[in-house]
Amino acid sequence: QVQLVESGGGSVQPGDSLTLSCAASGFTLEHYSIGWFRRAPGEQREGVSCIHISSRRAVYVDSVKGRFTMTVGDDRSVVYLQMNNLKPEDAGVYTCAARFGNTCSYVQRVYDRWGQGTQVTVSS
């Protein structure tokens, strides 16, 4: 079965860290770009970061630059989102998505495979 599966969400306090995983099943991530999107409570889903698997080049929205880092597992079947110094505004459902090709984008319609999402809660 071709799918993306996220894991690693949880409830943390401001300043804490979490690492989210996005694992591909039934297909290889080679030649794909993977985006992480976040839907905060009451808000629309928005792009957070994206990485091109082959080059391992990642981009981030300004609000998470310097705090979030995307990496690719050695076997290129898992993508990680390391989130440090979490803030309450980082909370939401984080979903990863795959797009064939080497161009990162925050335009959601260009992604053709989506995971189910994992919840991140940041509160004191």
Side-chain angles (χ1 to χ4, degrees), residues 32-81:
Y32 276 82
S33 293
I34 302 298
W36 278 103
F37 295 82
R38 172 177 67 207
R39 186 191 299 274
E43 302 291 333
Q44 292 187 341
R45 187 165 58 190
E46 62 180 358
V48 173
S49 63
C50 177
I51 193 167
H52 175 231
I53 297 298
S54 293
S55 71
R56 286 170 163 74
R57 185 173 66 250
V59 294
Y60 306 90
V61 294
D62 287 345
S63 62
V64 307
K65 281 181 180 177
R67 299 188 298 119
F68 289 15
T69 304
M70 282 190 77
T71 57
V72 180
D74 290 340
D75 62 357
R76 300 188 178 187
S77 67
V78 183
V79 171
Y80 303 98
L81 180 66

Side-chain angles (χ1 to χ4, degrees), residues 28-33 98-103 110-113:
T28 177
L29 294 179
E30 189 72 37
H31 307 303
Y32 276 82
S33 293
R99 175 194 188 196
F100 189 82
N102 61 0
T103 303
V110 304
Y111 288 84
D112 47 26
R113 290 173 179 168

